[in-house]
């Protein structure tokens, strides 16, 4: 189940210049849903609604009633009393008991999003949030950037950035649950070059990615990734 946090009219859940958090949350959920349609034996449910603010209890009750396998709550963060500040970065939350599957998934999501966005790694954290406590299945809550940070709020408005967050979440889900792509799966939601450029330049210093190698044999890719990690670099394998 994908949970776009809050709703259009939730009090206080907006940036100092008026971006509603739900606008970001729902967009990421929609992109993630599109991406998950490319995998076999996957059914996606939404806990939220564009027509009304859905209570936390209603969201977790729906998840429990449907007996879903995983609950992913999508949010944008905020710091302080509502004004601009320099706090920023990516966080992913699990329940304080750190359920093994939820914690593994959260680590994968956090890794993917930090690598893809270049934002500060604020780590996998624990919290007694309702959606983590009252769900009977494993659950994670993703904070995809700060609405109270002037640079990051521009990213939160960007469709490129929203797709990037969705792709990081779905990549982690596919890895955690060993999802298999459909034979006729659509290609990744690739942004246009102009959109990608605008998202990268909105971030101080821009974003540069480095590819270390490409192999037909998965074992060769795993060996190189292991060497990179041993040398102190973050490394992950992506199959095209």
């Amino acid at each position: 189940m994908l949970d776009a946090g809050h709703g259009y009219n939730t009090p206080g859940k907006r940036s100092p210049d008026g971006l509603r958090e739900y606008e970001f949350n729902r967009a990421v959920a929609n992109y993630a849903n599109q991406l998950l349609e490319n995998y076999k034996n996957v059914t996606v449910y939404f806990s939220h609604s564009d027509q009304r603010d859905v209570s936390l209890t209603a969201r977790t009750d729906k998840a429990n009633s449907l007996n879903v396998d995983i609950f992913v709550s999508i949010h944008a963060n905020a710091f302080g009393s509502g004004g601009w500040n320099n706090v920023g970065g990516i966080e992913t939350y699990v329940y304080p008991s750190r359920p093994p599957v939820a914690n593994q998934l959260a680590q994968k999501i956090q890794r993917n999003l930090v690598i893809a966005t270049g934002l500060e790694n604020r780590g996998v954290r624990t919290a007694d949030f309702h959606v983590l406590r009252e769900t009977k299945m494993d659950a994670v809550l993703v904070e995809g950037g700060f609405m109270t940070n002037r640079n990051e709020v521009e990213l939160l408005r960007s469709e490129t950035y929203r797709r990037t967050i969705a792709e990081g979440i779905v990549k982690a889900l596919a890895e955690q649950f060993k999802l298999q792509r459909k034979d006729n799966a659509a290609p990744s939601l690739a942004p246009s070059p102009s959109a990608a450029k605008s998202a990268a330049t909105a971030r101080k210093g821009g974003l540069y990615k480095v590819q270390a190698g490409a192999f037909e044999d998965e074992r060769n890719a795993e060996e190189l990734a292991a060497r990179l990690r041993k040398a102190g670099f973050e490394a992950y394998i992506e199959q095209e």
Side-chain angles (χ1 to χ4, degrees):
M1 177 169 282
L2 298 176
D3 170 57
H6 311 297
Y8 278 122
N9 300 313
T10 307
K13 298 299 181 180
R14 62 189 63 193
S15 69
D17 61 356
L19 173 69
R20 290 179 172 86
E21 181 186 346
Y22 183 70
E23 294 175 26
F24 168 78
N25 300 343
R26 72 177 292 277
V28 174
N30 286 338
Y31 283 130
N33 180 43
Q34 292 176 37
L35 290 165
L36 285 166
E37 288 176 353
N38 292 317
Y39 291 91
K40 299 176 182 178
N41 304 316
V42 174
T43 301
V44 177
Y45 299 97
F46 286 155
S47 68
H48 54 278
S49 169
D50 287 347
Q51 282 68 52
R52 61 188 177 86
D53 284 12
V54 180
S55 71
L56 294 175
T57 299
R59 293 170 189 247
T60 54
D61 283 352
K62 182 176 181 179
N64 293 335
S65 175
L66 291 169
N67 194 30
V68 299
D69 296 300
I70 190 70
F71 187 96
V72 179
S73 190
I74 300 163
H75 290 257
N77 220 332
F79 183 82
S81 57
W84 298 113
N85 56 71
N86 293 324
V87 176
I90 302 291
E91 298 175 343
T92 309
Y93 283 87
V94 296
Y95 191 62
S97 63
R98 288 188 180 269
V101 172
N103 191 58
Q104 291 167 14
L105 176 62
Q107 296 288 349
K108 292 179 175 68
I109 291 173
Q110 183 72 15
R111 175 200 66 194
N112 289 349
L113 298 190
V114 168
I115 291 172
T117 66
L119 297 184
E120 179 182 345
N121 185 356
R122 298 175 61 87
V124 173
R125 303 185 174 203
T126 62
D128 188 27
F129 296 143
H130 177 97
V131 296
L132 302 179
R133 182 183 65 250
E134 299 301 326
T135 41
K136 295 179 181 178
M137 69 292 306
D138 288 289
V140 299
L141 186 145
V142 182
E143 296 279 10
F146 278 75
M147 297 185 294
T148 45
N149 180 302
R150 288 185 185 272
N151 291 328
E152 292 187 12
V153 78
E154 294 307 314
L155 293 174
L156 295 172
R157 285 191 168 95
S158 162
E159 292 304 316
T160 298
Y161 184 81
R162 294 170 178 183
R163 285 193 290 263
T164 296
I165 296 297
E167 288 172 345
I169 292 170
V170 171
K171 185 186 296 184
L173 287 167
E175 182 181 350
Q176 180 67 39
F177 296 104
K178 297 180 172 54
L179 303 182
Q180 300 296 314
R181 288 180 66 85
K182 296 176 181 177
D183 295 335
N184 61 344
S188 177
L189 293 169
S192 67
S194 60
K197 182 178 179 181
S198 66
T201 54
R203 198 177 307 114
K204 184 179 180 181
L207 176 62
Y208 303 91
K209 296 183 179 180
V210 178
Q211 177 177 314
F215 307 94
E216 292 184 355
D217 191 325
E218 183 180 4
R219 290 173 298 180
N220 293 335
E222 290 173 347
E223 288 174 3
L224 177 57
R227 292 202 301 271
L228 289 168
R229 295 188 190 106
K230 187 175 181 180
F233 298 99
E234 290 192 68
Y236 67 98
I237 298 172
E238 180 176 11
Q239 184 178 9
E240 296 182 351

